[in-house]
Amino acid sequence: MSDKKNSVLLILIALSLLMFTGCKWQGGVSSSKQKLIIRSSYMRTPVFLAGSVLEGLINYNTDYISTNISEGVNENEKIRALVNGSADLAFLSGPEGYMAYNGHPLYWEAPQDIKFLFGIFPAIYSGLIHPGQDVRKISDLVGKRIAINTEKSVSGDLLYYFLRLNGVDKSNSVIYRVEQPEGFRLFSEGMVDFIWYNMSGEYSFLKNSLLTGDSSIKFDIISCTQQEKLKEFLSVYPVFYTNAGYGKKEKQFEEERSFAASTFLACSSSLPDDVAYDIAKVWFENLDYIGNFFTFYSGNNASVYLARKVPVPMHPGALKYFKEVGLLN
């Protein structure tokens, strides 16, 4: 699909967020409304779409106006934006939140005072390799060309650590540390054999042209590791878990020995309680609407995603809402 067609598709998605009748209407947007900045993720990813859905829900169901910003930097930059006040909300993955909240010295001088409002779909860490190659587990990647997140990216560093646990490193393989869009481009053009990124959402999302720009690309998903190596990795980084939490598909992911981490909406502790309450409320009162964009996400499984392995404390305003509706004790 051409860049022009991609742009048209994204415009149509944005328009649908504004026009879809399932979203409860409460009048037009006023310029006097308090503005909320959402920093989501790269365009053409499920997390960016989640940010656009949240943007629409806020604008037409609350007393705030929001803007979803396509994020071209790593997750730590989004966390800094929350802390310094240049963003109000940000979608984060579990590892980055874990390191920031605990103040890991490789990335932070001190613990960061961030909270979460609710979890969304898990981030799946299972790599994609071109078909026809004799690769069935991670250790078979020795000698291959591999793309993972950039240097000093938490997810990239952890995935590289995991590769090394399985005997794959820069001494015996070619490893590119590049941003996710660049990794997908290299993969779609056959310049790398294997890519490994935060693949939030269903695997079906990976098979369409929103990610690669080429709907003819086919993928094979390989098992992550030998079980003992996976257990060792999870013991070092407990923010991950081995079951992705997709209802009927849970057994499939578990059998593949993949692993996952939470993806969640975060804020700083300075976000007012009433704002946090309203954001949680507008999301969970429109689950049918959200299900039109994420078919695997519904009222039946939203409570599973609500707080599963989220590595930072919940904001008291959101906690108040979830207690009121009986989702948390």
Side-chain angles (χ1 to χ4, degrees):
M1 181 180 289
S2 67
D3 289 341
K4 182 177 180 181
K5 289 182 178 178
N6 278 334
S7 299
V8 171
L9 179 58
L10 288 168
I11 291 170
L12 291 174
I13 290 173
L15 289 173
S16 70
L17 292 172
L18 300 179
M19 299 172 62
F20 189 79
T21 56
C23 185
K24 304 167 191 172
W25 175 265
Q26 289 188 354
V29 176
S30 168
S31 60
S32 64
K33 287 186 175 185
Q34 178 183 342
K35 188 173 184 180
L36 299 175
I37 302 297
I38 306 167
R39 298 182 77 164
S40 57
S41 187
Y42 304 103
M43 295 180 73
R44 301 187 297 177
T45 65
V47 176
F48 175 76
L49 180 56
S52 295
V53 171
L54 178 62
E55 177 186 17
L57 290 173
I58 290 172
N59 287 341
Y60 296 103
N61 293 271
T62 75
D63 293 328
Y64 316 106
I65 182 171
S66 62
T67 301
N68 177 42
I69 299 175
S70 173
E71 194 52 76
V73 297
N74 68 41
E75 305 264 316
N76 287 338
E77 295 303 317
K78 290 192 283 184
I79 295 169
R80 290 188 179 92
L82 292 177
V83 174
N84 68 27
S86 60
D88 303 287
L89 305 166
F91 285 98
L92 304 176
S93 58
E96 283 76 9
Y98 177 81
M99 296 297 192
Y101 181 72
N102 290 285
H104 192 286
L106 184 62
Y107 309 99
W108 303 99
E109 294 181 357
Q112 301 300 299
D113 192 10
I114 57 175
K115 306 291 185 185
F116 88 98
L117 299 171
F118 49 83
I120 53 172
F121 36 76
I124 310 301
Y125 291 83
S126 190
L128 304 180
I129 193 160
H130 283 287
Q133 301 195 54
D134 188 20
V135 174
R136 299 182 181 277
K137 55 185 183 298
I138 291 296
S139 57
D140 292 336
L141 289 171
V142 170
K144 302 294 184 183
R145 301 165 300 171
I146 303 163
I148 57 176
N149 301 81
T150 56
E151 302 284 348
K152 298 300 182 182
S153 156
V154 173
S155 289
D157 290 346
L158 299 190
L159 292 177
Y160 184 54
Y161 172 80
F162 190 71
L163 287 172
R164 288 188 287 116
L165 273 182
N166 288 271
V168 183
D169 60 34
K170 294 178 181 179
S171 71
N172 56 32
S173 307
V174 179
I175 298 177
Y176 298 97
R177 300 292 299 269
V178 295
E179 299 285 4
Q180 185 170 335
E182 179 67 5
F184 276 105
R185 184 189 70 79
L186 293 173
F187 185 75
S188 66
E189 294 178 2
M191 299 177 69
V192 297
D193 306 300
F194 180 77
I195 55 173
W196 206 359
Y197 291 96
N198 171 346
M199 314 279 191
S200 300
E202 288 184 312
Y203 283 138
S204 60
F205 221 111
L206 303 173
K207 296 178 180 179
N208 67 42
S209 57
L210 283 177
L211 286 179
T212 64
D214 184 354
S215 60
S216 68
I217 293 292
K218 305 299 181 183
F219 306 106
D220 282 342
I221 302 168
I222 72 170
S223 176
C224 268
T225 184
Q226 296 174 344
Q227 194 68 18
E228 62 271 17
K229 297 297 184 182
L230 180 56
K231 288 180 179 178
E232 181 179 351
F233 179 74
L234 295 175
S235 70
V236 176
Y237 298 110
V239 68
F240 295 102
Y241 53 94
T242 57
N243 191 314
Y246 278 134
K248 293 180 180 179
K249 295 186 178 182
E250 287 185 358
K251 186 176 180 182
Q252 170 194 340
F253 287 115
E254 194 167 34
E255 288 175 349
E256 288 173 354
R257 297 174 181 175
S258 182
F259 56 89
S262 59
T263 305
F264 60 97
L265 183 65
C267 62
S268 76
S269 62
S270 64
L271 188 75
D273 286 4
D274 60 334
V275 177
Y277 179 97
D278 290 342
I279 299 303
K281 177 182 171 70
V282 76
W283 183 269
F284 276 79
E285 288 192 349
N286 286 282
L287 293 177
D288 289 343
Y289 171 67
I290 295 166
N292 286 282
F293 301 94
F294 301 103
T295 57
F296 53 86
Y297 193 95
S298 70
N300 295 327
N301 58 27
S303 60
V304 173
Y305 302 134
L306 172 62
R308 188 173 192 178
K309 284 278 189 177
V310 177
V312 303
M314 181 176 283
H315 192 289
L319 181 62
K320 177 183 177 182
Y321 170 75
F322 293 125
K323 285 184 174 180
E324 285 183 1
V325 297
L327 287 173
L328 291 175
N329 295 326

